[in-house]
Amino acid sequence: MSFQPVVPLTGYVGWRFLERTLENQQTAFSESQPISRATEYFRENIANVRTAEDLVSDRRLLSVALGAFGLDEDINNTFFIRKILEDGTISDDALANRLADNRYADFSRAFAFGDRPAPRTGLIGFADEIVDRYEVRQFERAVGDQNNDLRLAMNVSSGASDIVDRTQNENAQWFSIMGNAPLRNVFQTALGLPASVSSIDLDKQLELFQERSQSVFGTDKVSDFTAPDMQDKLIRLFLVRSEAAAIATSSGGSTALTLLQSVPPLFG
């Protein structure tokens, strides 16, 4: 029987509760039978995988591999996933590099079927690396079944760190955020940008994200959002704005406005 996360509250209060109980809840979730069976099978068999075809042909291995990068919904898209893996990430025209969602590039790079003479699947520690990611992503997914805003908030820390570790170019970091659906949702909401911003020129989007970030948070550097205090400010504003938008949709704008006005200042 799978352990179900305990999420009794919503919004920022719910987030603080989840933070306080996260370690114990994550451990219990990872030790539950469905998760432990999946991770044990992965650890026992992934070193035998030498090609992308080997991986996509084993649904149990592929489920963990995709789940580690939040790509669970692609489990049946085996031709597409095989192409992502075989193309690798070195060539500019590799499929993963041509997709807006950079999770596919992270996924392809991690396994390195198209980037190295031999994939990383046989390396010591590789199985643990993927399993650790899988356990975290699956717990986030379970939280998301109850409250998707909290799932998105949980992704901020690892998502921002992955981007900063991948490149030091500040514009490229912002483009990566804009191309990562979960992170984009958090930043776009926290910055008060409308969903329609995605339809304008990409370079103009970059300017809007940077300018609004400087105005709201006092910085336009993505690397600053790897710091716990900045992450807390980002998550707090995201959750408050998201909750206010939901209230405005269901009951009119006055209550939502009151909620937004009650948010303590981010600075000072």
Side-chain angles (χ1 to χ4, degrees), residues 65-75 81 101 103-105 107:
L66 290 172
F69 294 86
L71 300 172
D72 309 75
E73 303 305 319
D74 282 305
I75 187 66
I81 292 301
D101 191 333
R103 290 177 297 173
Y104 292 102
F107 169 63

Side-chain angles (χ1 to χ4, degrees), residues 100-126:
D101 191 333
N102 55 45
R103 290 177 297 173
Y104 292 102
D106 291 340
F107 169 63
S108 183
R109 189 179 298 108
F111 283 83
F113 289 109
D115 293 345
R116 295 161 51 106
R120 297 184 67 242
T121 51
L123 297 180
I124 295 175
F126 175 77

